[in-house]
Amino acid sequence: MQLEDLNIEFHALAGAIPAWRAQIGADRLQPVCAQVRESGGRLLALWGSDERANGQGFALHVALATHPGLLMLSLALDANQPAYPDISAIFPPAERMQRAAYDMLGLCAKDAVDQRKWIRHGCWPEGQFPLRKEFDFTQKMATGLDAYPFIPVLGDGVHEIPVGPVHAGTIEPGHFRFSIVGERVLRLEERLGYKHKGIEKLAETMDALQGAKLAGRVSGDATCAYAWAYAMALESMTGVTPPPRALLLRALLLERERIHNHLGDLGYLGNDVALSFGFAQFWILKEDVLRANGALFGHRYLMDRIIPGGVACDLPPQGKARLLAETEKLEQEIGTLRAIYDEHAGLQDRFLTTGRVSPDRAAKLGLTGLPGRASGQAWDLRAQYPCAPYNELDVRMATHRNGDVAARAIVRVEEVLESLRLTRLILDKLTEGPLTAPVPSAPAGAYGIGMVEGWRGEVLIGLQVGADNRIARMHPHDPSWQNWPVLEHAVIGNIVPDFPLINKSFNLSYTGQDL
Amino acid sequence: MYQILKQILKTGIKTEPHPVADDALRTAAQGLQAEILHVFGQALSIRHVDAGSCNGCELEIHALNNPYYNIEGLGIKFTASPRHADMLLVTGPVAKHMEVALKRTFDATPEPKFVVAIGDCGCTGGIFGESYASCGRVSNVIPVDVAVPGCPPTPIAIMQGILAAISAR
């Protein structure tokens, strides 16, 4: 698809990734989405903003991934009756995003089938919308209990298992409602939003530089991806290009985040099928990586190391040798452990065909990121829209088509090995130079987008800055938005005891979608 | 099987010496009674409750179970139900949407019990503070015995906090 085919007047957004923005009328939303979908494009994110202070109404923002780049569509909505056409029939992941846009701002997706609340439980009343400017961030309201109409499954022998919000392990809170017959899952319905802590509204009390720290705490396990996406958004609107050494260090940190998360998941996947040997082994490797992070960069999870304009840490002189030695050791150990996983009959029996999402279904439902690549969805921003320094690294994307727990495990192994290859390349390219570029105040009304391939998938930050460099709107988008609904499909027909394994193989963020 | 045994032998024992309790982490006089300590002895069951964290603290709680820290070697294990727990390890600012669930989990935990709040958010509300959506620190919702700061606190700091809660003054 070429941009011209859409017949819309786009203007290019400055920044590290190819992106265009356009204002469109409400009548054009569905046809444009349908055309993008037909040409293989995807929905990345959907959110709203309150523009009434600027003499307008509300606005809806839709981010689409197409082969040429990122398309940002904005719709002006009425100040009194903000409504827009439903696009969830075209892009199924839009459904929950639309429901959230209603809960947070009162924007209504006309004719959408599911109009239930999503983020709102009992902590603010219906008819109030936290992201409207008149809503007071600090007010304390009486907490009501949540009444949520789950969809019942009826029939002989069907019964329900409610799980959560407090789960049996060290996991984030959320509610899962299983409808089962015997051991088999007929239907899973998720209820999320328990971790909603007002991140988007909180951002509007901050200035653009402070926002970076908050962005790095949207989902702590992906702090590098969020911090980089935020920095990219702010740099795009202020015309800043970080120095080459800073960009290489950012990539080094992002790959280390991918490595430690994938190692942890590979360990837990072993643990979940009673191979505690796998847990012990992979978590030794993970701990080694975290300790090196702490020793070299001053933080085990690298929080606040990526900042607008560059990086807040440097690789100390002895660091290169340590990282090269670590890389070699990891490659060796992962090779050994991979062979053990591959040949372990009990583990393979649990992994193979479990929680399968076929490539067809994945494409239809918009599965993205790591689980997407395990189901034949070949999207990886590092390969597709390689921002610097990835444009010089030639990232090899890992894809598989089986779409089961085994495939998601293999993609992790391959991605860790690729990250280790990238680590060597980055260390090789790293030359001396400054670590930051000064970031001026953003012009009032500035609009920027940042997007980074985190270990789960693409992390997107939409940023608008108002007067005095204050944040007017910050929308962080986690790939978990797309993938949570697909998890409901992945477990159908599986036995209940396999749910923890399937869930772990997706390893989605709760906080990233609850915000 | 041979490969697994070979790898285990090659890896050896990674577990490091455990840290000692950090009394500075106690928030207040706790009135710890000798009989409570007698009841717990050297076996403690912990129920973790994420009340609204960014999931950073969870990463370090997971790390407690890795072979380096080997918290089970101290007789401390994580349990699946608050009814089996002696201690709640609570992370995050308490999201309003988790307030009821946290209180119910606390109520379901039998006496005697301890609560350890983990991380800057658990200690003070952290960057998220108090708002329409956040109750702030854990002690705003349930009584807290020990609070461990850090963003996130290291596994050693979490262990010191746990030990501070259960060791006699």
Side-chain angles (χ1 to χ4, degrees):
Chain A
M1 187 194 74
Q2 302 297 314
L3 284 185
E4 296 78 48
D5 299 343
L6 292 171
N7 243 337
I8 300 174
E9 201 178 319
F10 282 103
H11 70 267
L13 286 166
I17 48 165
W20 292 269
R21 187 176 184 213
Q23 286 282 343
I24 61 167
D27 57 322
R28 295 279 288 134
L29 181 63
Q30 285 178 339
V32 170
C33 286
Q35 207 174 337
V36 168
R37 162 108 227 186
E38 257 168 48
S39 64
R42 298 178 300 135
L43 174 75
L44 285 170
L46 178 151
W47 70 96
S49 62
D50 181 351
E51 308 290 340
R52 289 172 300 165
N54 312 324
Q56 300 159 26
F58 293 92
L60 181 79
H61 309 279
V62 180
L64 302 172
T66 64
H67 289 286
L70 172 67
L71 304 187
M72 284 301 316
L73 306 176
S74 292
L75 275 73
L77 306 182
D78 186 70
N80 299 313
Q81 301 258 304
Y84 58 94
D86 164 44
I87 57 167
S88 64
I90 304 165
F91 293 119
E95 186 212 276
R96 287 177 184 177
M97 300 180 208
Q98 293 180 166
R99 287 160 66 190
Y102 180 81
D103 288 347
M104 300 307 293
L105 265 163
L107 311 186
C108 178
K110 275 181 293 187
D111 306 321
V113 177
D114 194 340
Q115 302 269 7
R116 289 176 297 170
K117 59 185 180 175
W118 180 243
I119 295 293
R120 185 175 70 83
H121 290 206
C123 97
W124 70 93
E126 189 165 11
Q128 289 203 37
F129 306 103
L131 286 179
R132 291 195 176 184
K133 295 294 181 191
E134 68 270 19
F135 187 96
D136 175 13
F137 173 65
T138 56
Q139 68 182 308
K140 290 186 183 140
M141 287 170 288
T143 309
L145 268 185
D146 184 35
Y148 185 76
F150 286 94
I151 294 167
V153 176
L154 304 173
D156 268 358
V158 179
H159 66 283
E160 283 189 347
I161 308 178
V163 179
V166 180
H167 290 164
T170 300
I171 321 175
E172 299 182 71
H175 183 88
F176 300 121
R177 187 68 59 97
F178 295 93
S179 297
I180 65 168
V181 168
E183 277 198 312
R184 288 205 185 272
V185 179
L186 286 180
R187 189 173 192 282
L188 161 64
E189 186 171 356
E190 298 155 358
R191 172 82 175 119
L192 303 176
Y194 288 93
K195 299 191 93 176
H196 177 72
K197 45 194 173 285
I199 289 176
E200 290 171 292
K201 188 74 175 178
L202 175 60
E204 295 175 15
T205 68
M206 295 179 164
D207 78 23
L209 289 175
Q210 290 170 325
K213 189 175 173 194
L214 179 63
R217 282 158 183 79
V218 170
S219 188
D221 53 13
T223 181
C224 288
Y226 275 94
W228 192 348
Y230 184 88
M232 196 187 277
L234 190 59
E235 286 154 8
S236 85
M237 60 171 70
T238 49
V240 172
T241 306
R245 184 173 176 87
L247 289 170
L248 281 165
L249 284 174
R250 280 183 180 180
L252 181 68
L253 301 182
L254 185 72
E255 296 311 319
R256 293 185 69 73
E257 180 168 277
R258 195 181 321 278
I259 291 167
H260 87 69
N261 276 294
H262 283 0
L263 290 175
D265 284 348
L266 286 166
Y268 263 116
L269 286 169
N271 204 49
D272 279 355
V273 297
L275 187 65
S276 56
F277 161 84
F279 173 82
Q281 290 288 329
F282 275 108
W283 277 70
I284 289 170
L285 302 181
K286 173 171 173 151
E287 180 69 21
D288 290 341
V289 172
L290 297 177
R291 288 182 176 193
N293 283 347
L296 297 174
F297 304 111
H299 194 284
R300 283 160 60 87
Y301 298 94
L302 308 169
M303 279 178 164
D304 308 321
R305 303 299 113 158
I306 296 179
I307 54 171
V311 288
C313 61
D314 199 2
L315 184 66
Q318 80 283 11
K320 185 174 173 181
R322 178 164 179 177
L323 291 182
L324 284 173
E326 180 199 65
T327 301
E328 194 175 325
K329 180 176 179 226
L330 281 173
E331 281 168 347
Q332 225 170 44
E333 292 287 310
I334 290 167
T336 305
L337 295 176
R338 178 187 194 160
I340 289 174
Y341 270 27
D342 278 351
E343 286 164 23
H344 194 282
L347 177 140
Q348 290 298 330
D349 182 48
R350 293 285 304 278
F351 277 18
L352 286 165
T353 73
T354 303
R356 188 157 190 271
V357 183
S358 68
D360 281 353
R361 176 159 288 181
K364 192 159 182 229
L365 297 174
L367 189 67
T368 187
L370 181 150
R373 289 190 286 278
S375 290
Q377 306 307 297
W379 292 88
D380 184 328
L381 296 181
R382 297 174 301 161
Q384 241 118 18
Y385 318 137
C387 66
Y390 288 107
N391 52 355
E392 295 173 10
L393 299 177
D394 192 21
V395 176
R396 297 170 198 160
M397 193 189 323
T399 53
H400 281 265
R401 294 186 57 81
N402 276 352
D404 51 7
V405 172
R408 290 185 282 276
I410 294 169
V411 168
R412 282 180 168 92
V413 172
E414 291 180 359
E415 289 191 356
V416 171
L417 294 174
E418 175 66 3
S419 291
L420 293 171
R421 188 186 72 87
L422 295 174
T423 299
R424 286 182 202 274
L425 281 179
I426 291 166
L427 291 172
D428 196 40
K429 285 177 185 289
L430 210 54
T431 50
E432 289 305 314
L435 297 172
T436 53
V439 182
S441 286
Y447 182 98
I449 290 285
M451 195 161 66
V452 169
E453 188 74 32
W455 66 272
R456 274 195 185 91
E458 70 260 329
V459 166
L460 180 147
I461 299 263
L463 187 65
Q464 290 171 264
V465 173
D468 303 327
N469 214 30
R470 309 293 299 176
I471 295 175
R473 180 80 174 92
M474 194 262 278
H475 178 72
H477 181 91
D478 197 277
S480 303
W481 275 104
Q482 271 89 339
N483 293 352
W484 274 117
V486 186
L487 179 66
E488 290 181 347
H489 287 264
V491 301
I492 293 173
N494 286 264
I495 57 174
V496 177
D498 273 341
F499 174 72
L501 179 63
I502 299 168
N503 193 20
K504 179 48 81 178
S505 74
F506 277 75
N507 196 1
L508 304 176
S509 175
Y510 300 66
T511 176
Q513 94 97 63
D514 293 353
L515 295 176
Chain B
M1 199 63 202
Y2 165 70
Q3 289 298 338
I4 293 181
L5 292 174
K6 186 175 153 202
Q7 181 72 10
I8 289 172
L9 280 175
K10 196 185 96 193
T11 305
I13 291 173
K14 291 280 186 185
T15 306
E16 298 169 343
H18 292 119
V20 293
D22 184 350
D23 284 338
L25 295 170
R26 285 180 215 271
T27 51
Q30 291 168 45
L32 268 185
Q33 293 142 359
E35 55 265 42
I36 298 180
L37 286 171
H38 179 70
V39 171
F40 289 126
Q42 280 288 304
L44 182 80
S45 286
I46 300 178
R47 170 68 265 189
H48 160 253
V49 183
D50 175 352
S53 75
C54 77
N55 78 25
C57 291
E58 278 63 34
L59 299 173
E60 293 296 42
I61 295 174
H62 282 299
L64 289 176
N65 286 309
N66 79 32
Y68 284 105
Y69 303 108
N70 186 24
I71 195 168
E72 287 206 17
L74 279 174
I76 299 174
K77 70 181 185 69
F78 288 87
T79 177
S81 165
R83 297 197 192 282
H84 304 158
D86 309 308
M87 175 185 286
L88 297 182
L89 207 56
V90 187
T91 56
V94 182
K96 282 264 177 143
H97 288 165
M98 279 302 290
E99 189 181 356
V100 172
L102 177 60
K103 282 181 178 159
R104 286 185 181 172
T105 305
F106 180 77
D107 291 342
T109 309
E111 295 279 359
K113 57 190 165 193
F114 296 116
V115 176
V116 177
I118 296 295
D120 286 350
C121 297
C123 293
T124 67
I127 191 171
F128 303 108
E130 290 179 35
S131 70
Y132 78 97
S134 168
C135 304
R137 69 176 76 179
V138 175
S139 63
N140 288 350
V141 179
I142 55 171
V144 168
D145 299 291
V146 169
V148 184
C151 188
T154 60
I156 294 286
I158 297 174
M159 278 168 108
Q160 286 174 323
I162 292 169
L163 294 172
I166 56 172
S167 57
R169 285 245 193 195

